[in-house]
Amino acid sequence: MATVLMCRRLPGLSRVTAFSTTAKRKAERGSSKSKKEKRDKPGAAKTGTESGATIQLLKPQDYRVLYNPAAYAKGRAGSQQHVDRDSSQALGDTFTSPGTTQALQTFPTASSQALPPIRNALPKAKSSTLLEQTILATLYKKEAEKEKQELHNSKEDPRMFQKGRPEYRSLSCNSAEPAQTLPAEEGDSILQSVAGCEGSPGILTDSFLKLSRLPAERRAALVSDPGFSALCHRAVTAIRLFSTPDLIQVLKACVPLAVPASHPLLDACEAEFCRRAWDMGLEQLLLVADCWRCLDRSVPSYLGILFSYANLHWQDLTLPQFVQLLYIIGEGRRSPADLAQKVESMILKHLDAFTLEELGAICLGLFKSLGEISDHVMRRIADRVALQMEDMSTYALVNVLKMLRYTRMDHLPLMRELGKVIPARIPATNIQGIMHITLTYSSLHFFDEDVLAAVATSLPSKVSYCRSKDAAKFLWSFGCLDYEPPNEELFYSSLIKQLHAKLHEFSKFPEHLLTALLGLAFVKRFPEELIDFALREEFVWKTRGSKYELNKDLFTLGRSVEIERPTYRGSRLSPQLCQEFTEIALSFAEREIYVRPEIVEATSLLESMLGGPEYVKNHMILPHTRSSDLEVRLAMDGHPIPFNFKDPVAAKKLKDMGVSLTDDLMSQLIQGR
């Protein structure tokens, strides 16, 4: 009789093991596990009795286990999906089943955690669900205004770096610049004076500038004023007659006037600036690009010309112009491939001269545009930030952390310094900033109890400001780091409540619900109402329209609920879907999991220690876990037993590669020809 040792992290959904800066690692505390066991329902599956057979593996003399987060990034930081959903999720989800243990750690691809069971297994009536959604809908409007208070102002916060140097005044459109305000009644006289004259470009420009200095309430009413519409029409008609400086002044005036992004005047201005771009200077081009940003207007054609112009005049860029260009690149969500190498050289050239806020702006621009950056350059940036972190604003610091996460840079000095600086800042940081800080620790598998405890303490009072994405990332991060905060019940219950409040968002962003539910499952919490919602046919159908690959996440959630919550009576995936998802998971494992360097190395070491490949089998015992399992079989005396005489991967490679043994071929072989 043999004992089967399945190298797997179970029970419950497995999570990433972090390397810790805290001496008392949460995973080392027996109290944490006992608390989890008490929380489980009596009807939940129990772990099987463990066998007494053991195997002692001696540590090879020169054996090293290397920590390398970058090994888990696909092609650098992964696809757009990995960036949006957290680049740490680019590795297969590792879930667990009762009665087994996992030695080889695996890293999840979907981000999620589960919520505590709200009710027992009986499915909720659809009418009740609709009523609940109707009631919640009335609350969403009230929460919207409160939520705005917490969100970063995208027009101002990313532009804080511009206050560090006077040169930015000529490169950016600062709508907050103090200007002498005109009386509200002058608005009518300005429009009347324009209507009664020819309206030369100079007069039109002066009129726009004066109108932009009216009080805010009067400016707000101008867009619907017939006189203002007539003024805009005259400007469009005479657009070719404006000098470039005058046309720029008109565009700048449109910002405080809050001219809608789709206004005909802006259409005409964009076309004219594209026509003139090659005759303008870089300073003017950057200023106009900043105006478009302030007006929330997408101008890909204009940005394309700007980037081409900058590429040709790269040697002429000053430090402020370079930073402003990186800001514009980020806001345009587009990284010109031909500028990547030049950007790196410029960063290294001015690294010591950048202000800390400028470094934050550079990192944000690269992050938003998915710009490539080498490990060497990112490490140099991190080196400087680690030395001056206390002098850096939280907003700029969060931007650096975004890029650190994107590049999967394991910069220990920065992370250790962050653990000293950031906990005291958490209460004053908005919810999106806190989410990015937490996600950085999760993505880099770095555990710091002081930081996580500060996050957990502050979150319940701020949870109403969480978007569905934020709530999902918090749950995912805490589950991956295997940390249950002192206020865990309040922490998880508040996030679960917020998921219910954001239920309407999951139709548009189904990935966030799956992220949340999978993450909650890491801490053995299964909110059955939300799970029932996620596994309904309507929701499953919505996932098919997502820009992300969510089939594996659905499969992981569905199978995990079956194993961990046998009393669950809600919606389930159909057998046909489960079979389809199983095939997808197996195919994914062969392409992405079995071939990972650390898994190949672990397999090779086990084979060497045990006596050959026939003693170890690398496969997925439970396909929904998307993890690599190393199976070893032991006799009762602890000695390994050979059992893996068929290598499915090798067999597949040899399939259809043989030749027919004919008499002629045999004759040639025997004769040595």
Side-chain angles (χ1 to χ4, degrees):
M1 181 177 179
T3 299
V4 177
L5 172 63
M6 292 176 284
C7 300
R8 205 174 177 68
R9 191 188 300 114
L10 302 166
L13 298 177
S14 46
R15 53 213 121 177
V16 171
T17 300
F19 64 95
S20 172
T21 57
T22 307
K24 295 182 180 180
R25 176 72 175 92
K26 186 73 176 180
E28 296 172 357
R29 302 173 183 173
S31 59
S32 174
K33 294 185 178 179
S34 62
K35 284 166 65 179
K36 287 186 183 180
E37 292 170 0
K38 291 179 182 179
R39 189 170 61 220
D40 287 341
K41 288 185 179 181
K46 307 293 183 181
T47 50
T49 303
E50 295 182 3
S51 169
T54 59
I55 181 170
Q56 183 176 7
L57 301 180
L58 298 178
K59 181 178 179 181
Q61 185 174 359
D62 296 323
Y63 177 64
R64 296 174 302 127
V65 178
L66 300 178
Y67 167 74
N68 182 16
Y72 297 95
K74 181 178 180 181
R76 168 138 302 284
S79 62
Q80 173 69 45
Q81 173 174 350
H82 298 154
V83 176
D84 292 342
R85 296 191 66 197
D86 169 21
S87 57
S88 73
Q89 300 162 18
L91 321 166
D93 280 315
T94 49
F95 289 83
T96 59
S97 64
T100 49
T101 19
Q102 179 163 339
L104 175 62
Q105 83 174 21
T106 49
F107 296 79
T109 44
S111 53
S112 314
Q113 249 177 335
L115 318 164
I118 299 174
R119 295 182 187 170
N120 287 331
L122 292 177
K124 190 174 180 182
K126 290 186 178 180
S127 60
S128 176
T129 301
L130 291 174
L131 176 61
E132 181 185 57
Q133 293 179 357
T134 303
I135 296 173
L136 288 173
T138 61
L139 301 176
Y140 302 149
K141 295 180 180 179
K142 296 180 181 179
E143 292 178 1
E145 290 302 319
K146 293 170 64 180
E147 186 175 353
K148 289 179 182 178
Q149 301 171 11
E150 277 286 313
L151 292 174
H152 276 307
N153 185 328
S154 61
K155 300 263 192 332
E156 298 298 329
D157 281 343
R159 306 160 66 83
M160 291 297 291
F161 70 94
Q162 295 173 349
K163 297 181 179 180
R165 300 180 192 270
E167 293 92 335
Y168 287 112
R169 293 175 186 171
S170 60
L171 301 175
S172 59
C173 176
N174 190 349
S175 58
E177 285 180 353
Q180 184 178 358
T181 304
L182 298 177
E185 54 271 15
E186 284 203 25
D188 294 331
S189 61
I190 292 171
L191 295 177
Q192 289 172 2
S193 64
V194 174
C197 67
E198 289 295 326
S200 67
I203 295 175
L204 294 175
T205 300
D206 188 57
S207 299
F208 277 104
L209 291 175
K210 288 180 178 179
L211 291 174
S212 69
R213 292 166 51 197
L214 292 174
E217 59 275 8
R218 180 67 181 97
R219 295 200 308 267
L222 277 178
V223 174
S224 57
D225 191 308
F228 183 72
S229 298
L231 173 64
C232 292
H233 179 72
R234 287 196 172 197
V236 170
T237 304
I239 198 79
R240 293 283 182 99
L241 302 178
F242 283 87
S243 68
T244 298
D246 281 349
L247 193 58
I248 292 176
Q249 290 301 314
V250 170
L251 188 64
K252 285 184 68 175
C254 288
V255 176
L257 289 172
V259 176
S262 58
H263 197 281
L265 174 61
L266 299 186
D267 292 341
C269 286
E270 180 185 356
E272 187 62 17
F273 277 121
C274 286
R275 190 181 69 84
R276 301 185 187 193
W278 290 102
D279 297 322
M280 295 166 60
L282 186 57
E283 188 174 279
Q284 292 177 319
L285 290 170
L286 289 170
L287 174 57
V288 170
D290 200 63
C291 291
W292 292 130
R293 169 59 189 149
C294 291
L295 289 164
D296 276 335
R297 182 179 172 97
S298 176
V299 287
S301 297
Y302 178 83
L303 292 182
I305 297 172
L306 168 62
F307 299 153
S308 297
Y309 188 102
N311 192 29
L312 290 176
H313 298 82
W314 193 260
Q315 298 299 326
D316 301 329
L317 257 68
T318 64
L319 185 152
Q321 288 175 344
F322 170 72
V323 178
Q324 182 70 12
L325 178 63
L326 260 292
Y327 164 72
I328 295 298
I329 287 174
E331 296 306 306
R333 302 302 197 277
R334 175 184 164 197
S335 178
D338 53 351
L339 293 183
Q341 189 172 354
K342 294 181 178 180
V343 166
E344 287 202 359
S345 63
M346 189 70 81
I347 291 175
L348 293 176
K349 177 182 177 182
H350 297 292
L351 184 59
D352 295 331
F354 291 128
T355 66
L356 294 173
E357 301 306 305
E358 286 173 334
L359 279 179
I362 289 169
C363 287
L364 183 62
L366 292 171
F367 179 81
K368 284 186 173 182
S369 64
L370 302 183
E372 292 290 334
I373 186 171
S374 68
D375 290 347
H376 171 67
V377 174
M378 189 66 231
R379 192 168 293 279
R380 289 285 305 277
I381 293 175
D383 287 342
R384 177 158 178 222
V385 171
L387 294 175
Q388 298 178 282
M389 190 178 296
E390 290 186 358
D391 301 325
M392 198 171 195
S393 72
T394 303
Y395 180 78
L397 180 56
V398 167
N399 292 337
V400 174
L401 295 181
K402 290 177 181 178
M403 202 59 194
L404 201 72
R405 188 178 84 225
Y406 176 65
T407 57
R408 306 198 64 82
M409 175 63 65
D410 53 325
H411 196 282
L412 299 186
L414 185 146
M415 297 304 293
R416 288 171 180 147
E417 188 65 22
L418 186 66
K420 300 175 185 177
V421 172
I422 209 64
R425 298 191 187 186
I426 293 293
T429 304
N430 72 5
I431 203 69
Q432 280 73 44
I434 298 174
M435 181 272 286
H436 282 294
I437 292 168
T438 309
L439 193 57
T440 298
Y441 279 89
S442 170
S443 299
L444 300 180
H445 317 312
F446 192 99
F447 178 86
D448 190 311
E449 189 167 11
D450 291 339
V451 174
L452 296 179
V455 171
T457 301
S458 298
L459 189 61
S461 63
K462 297 172 174 278
V463 76
S464 61
Y465 301 122
C466 280
R467 303 164 297 177
S468 58
K469 175 181 180 179
D470 301 322
K473 298 300 186 184
F474 280 122
L475 291 169
W476 167 255
S477 298
F478 273 68
C480 278
L481 293 172
D482 197 8
Y483 177 68
E484 294 178 357
N487 63 336
E488 62 175 297
E489 291 305 326
L490 175 61
F491 175 80
Y492 284 114
S493 63
S494 64
L495 283 169
I496 291 164
K497 181 179 178 181
Q498 186 66 3
L499 289 178
H500 279 277
K502 297 295 181 181
L503 206 61
H504 64 294
E505 292 185 12
F506 297 133
S507 294
K508 186 176 181 180
F509 306 107
E511 64 274 9
H512 297 331
L513 179 58
L514 296 179
T515 289
L517 293 178
L518 290 176
L520 277 168
F522 288 164
V523 292
K524 305 182 77 171
R525 293 175 183 263
F526 295 88
E528 296 188 354
E529 286 185 338
L530 292 173
I531 291 171
D532 175 67
F533 181 85
L535 297 181
R536 289 178 190 171
E537 186 177 350
E538 314 89 87
F539 186 83
V540 172
W541 181 256
K542 288 183 183 298
T543 65
R544 296 297 182 103
S546 171
K547 62 180 180 179
Y548 302 115
E549 169 54 62
L550 300 179
N551 292 337
K552 295 191 291 291
D553 293 356
L554 279 169
F555 183 43
T556 300
L557 177 64
R559 286 297 198 206
S560 299
V561 171
E562 289 180 17
I563 294 172
E564 304 288 348
R565 284 293 178 269
T567 58
Y568 170 74
R569 295 294 179 270
S571 302
R572 296 180 184 272
L573 297 176
S574 67
Q576 294 83 358
L577 274 180
C578 286
Q579 179 59 35
E580 177 185 340
F581 293 163
T582 298
E583 294 174 0
I584 292 174
L586 291 173
S587 176
F588 171 80
E590 291 184 1
R591 297 191 319 270
E592 303 288 343
I593 299 179
Y594 298 152
V595 296
R596 289 177 187 156
E598 71 282 1
I599 294 177
V600 172
E601 181 183 5
T603 305
S604 176
L605 286 171
L606 275 176
E607 290 174 354
S608 299
M609 289 186 285
L610 298 178
E614 63 271 20
Y615 292 93
V616 184
K617 186 174 183 180
N618 180 9
H619 64 135
M620 288 197 301
I621 297 170
L622 296 176
H624 75 279
T625 63
R626 287 177 275 168
S627 64
S628 181
D629 304 305
L630 297 179
E631 181 181 343
V632 175
R633 298 187 183 182
L634 308 176
M636 293 301 292
D637 60 2
H639 286 87
I641 299 173
F643 70 99
N644 185 27
F645 298 107
K646 280 192 175 182
D647 185 346
V649 177
K652 184 175 181 179
K653 290 180 180 177
L654 291 174
K655 186 177 180 181
D656 297 330
M657 291 180 65
V659 295
S660 301
L661 290 177
T662 63
D663 292 341
D664 183 56
L665 178 58
M666 289 298 296
S667 176
Q668 293 181 45
L669 292 173
I670 293 172
Q671 295 175 16
R673 288 163 48 194

